[in-house]
Amino acid sequence: MVLAVKAKDLRVGYMDEEENILWAVKGVSFEVRQGEVFCLVGESGCGKSTIGNTIIGILPPYAVTEGELYVFNKPVVMGNLRDYTGIRGRVVSYVPQNPGTSLNPYQTIGTQLYYVLNSVYGWDKKKSLEVAKKYLSLVELDPESVIDYYPHELSGGMQQRAAIAIALSTGAKILVADEPTSALDAHLRLQLIKLLMKLKETESLTLILITHDLVSTGKICDTVAVVYSGKIVEKCSGSNVIIEPLHPYTQMLADAVPLLGIKRPLKSIPGEPPKPGEEITGCVFAPRCPLAFEKCVEPPPSFNVYNGEVACWRYANIAR
């Protein structure tokens, strides 16, 4: 088994003007196998995007890291030392959440692909544009017309496909997609998911998806990591995240999602996630958990139960 990404007790924080560190990721450990679809799910502000940005190597200069992170066995984070030489943009590439604001509005799609290909491979404009058309075809766009379009001339779905083409053009084998379907309607969302799964097979990609879409997660992901307040509270297979959620937080996320063909009242999650830098002793979800009890004042370890891992004291007596 080849590991594309491996994190060991990874912590990521941001230093404010008074040099206080606000920890957004608080000691996560996980492994992503080569060729896997790995999903990070959770509410906004729980640390998903920070984990993704750490894998890609686009943390801001005021970020602080602890722990270890490896990409294809190359150490990219060792404590507060970070080295993404040969990794950022070459092995790992990024699909932004909102391509409409990420693509350069003053350049055509072809010109933006040219600059990427010229930077990575040193090709001249003629060859770069020839290869650019291949990648536009790969994401099911008409290369002859789209290559001369500016981003504002494309629909939201076409912009997202163009962003995927740019990400793939570097030859990266790990694609980190941050909410790739959030700005699309239901029909375009389904099309994009099908495209990503097709590219995974044809281009031998490892996909890391950051999403709120629990239903799509359950259908396409091999492994799901549920993130809350900078910690992974549950890891399970994609098929189990909706059908058999283990952690109370995952159960409440599943209860808040409408399912096609099933009539049931949708339930909201009371309260809000802790703010970055807010430290909670004990279980991080205990202040909002309807099942909290006396033991939850202590931080739970991760228990191996059934076919997953869950950080919840309720499973202490049945853990393997």
Side-chain angles (χ1 to χ4, degrees):
M1 178 182 68
V2 177
L3 292 180
V5 178
K6 180 179 180 180
K8 294 174 62 178
D9 195 26
L10 180 66
R11 290 167 56 88
V12 186
Y14 302 102
M15 187 175 294
D16 64 16
E17 295 175 351
E18 298 176 355
E19 297 190 355
N20 298 313
I21 300 175
L22 306 178
W23 294 104
V25 177
K26 306 168 185 174
V28 300
S29 299
F30 59 88
E31 295 178 348
V32 182
R33 300 185 303 272
Q34 185 177 16
E36 184 177 21
V37 181
F38 184 89
C39 288
L40 295 163
V41 301
E43 295 171 282
S44 296
C46 67
K48 308 184 304 297
S49 293
T50 296
I51 295 173
N53 291 345
T54 308
I55 295 171
I56 305 160
I58 57 173
L59 289 173
Y62 50 86
V64 178
T65 54
E66 293 181 0
E68 301 173 12
L69 180 68
Y70 301 87
V71 176
F72 284 118
N73 292 323
K74 174 182 170 60
V76 294
V77 174
M78 298 295 288
N80 200 30
L81 297 176
R82 300 188 289 274
D83 180 11
Y84 290 89
T85 305
I87 297 294
R88 184 194 299 114
R90 306 297 180 93
V91 177
V92 185
S93 201
Y94 175 59
V95 178
Q97 179 175 353
N98 189 347
T101 57
S102 300
L103 295 170
N104 191 326
Y106 298 104
Q107 295 177 346
T108 64
I109 300 300
T111 300
Q112 294 182 59
L113 275 160
Y114 158 66
Y115 281 124
V116 172
L117 293 166
N118 176 262
S119 173
V120 174
Y121 300 108
W123 295 338
D124 60 23
K125 193 159 190 176
K126 181 179 179 181
K127 182 171 183 179
S128 294
L129 292 179
E130 289 175 359
V131 176
K133 291 180 181 180
K134 169 200 161 187
Y135 283 104
L136 291 172
S137 298
L138 202 61
V139 297
E140 300 173 0
L141 290 174
D142 177 13
E144 297 301 329
S145 58
V146 171
I147 202 163
D148 293 321
Y149 284 172
Y150 288 89
H152 71 272
E153 297 178 289
L154 304 177
S155 67
M158 294 172 74
Q159 288 177 351
Q160 192 64 277
R161 290 168 185 263
I164 293 172
I166 292 173
L168 292 176
S169 68
T170 66
K173 290 303 178 184
I174 301 174
L175 204 61
V176 179
D178 189 353
E179 295 283 359
T181 62
S182 63
L184 306 178
D185 61 36
H187 178 63
L188 290 176
R189 188 178 300 133
L190 178 62
Q191 286 186 340
L192 190 68
I193 288 172
K194 287 182 177 179
L195 174 63
L196 287 172
M197 298 309 294
K198 175 185 173 183
L199 292 172
K200 170 187 172 290
E201 298 299 329
T202 59
E203 302 301 305
S204 301
L205 295 175
T206 300
L207 294 179
I208 299 176
L209 302 181
I210 300 166
T211 182
H212 295 98
D213 189 349
L214 217 61
V215 175
S216 298
T217 295
K219 292 179 180 178
I220 66 173
C221 292
D222 300 308
T223 304
V224 178
V226 182
V227 185
Y228 182 79
S229 187
K231 291 181 177 288
I232 293 177
V233 297
E234 180 176 347
K235 278 185 281 189
C236 62
S237 67
S239 58
N240 285 346
V241 71
I242 289 285
I243 300 171
E244 296 179 308
L246 298 174
H247 197 279
Y249 177 56
T250 315
Q251 294 168 9
M252 295 175 80
L253 286 176
D255 288 341
V257 174
L259 297 177
L260 187 65
I262 299 177
K263 291 185 178 181
R264 61 174 187 176
L266 299 181
K267 301 177 183 178
S268 61
I269 303 177
E272 295 181 354
K275 296 178 181 178
E278 182 178 344
E279 294 296 331
I280 297 176
T281 58
C283 174
V284 291
F285 191 59
R288 302 174 70 189
C289 182
L291 303 176
F293 64 108
E294 294 82 1
K295 190 70 172 174
C296 297
V297 297
E298 302 175 23
S302 186
F303 298 107
N304 292 313
V305 293
Y306 308 123
N307 294 317
E309 300 175 24
V310 58
C312 178
W313 283 116
R314 295 167 57 246
Y315 295 91
N317 294 330
I318 59 175
R320 296 194 301 271

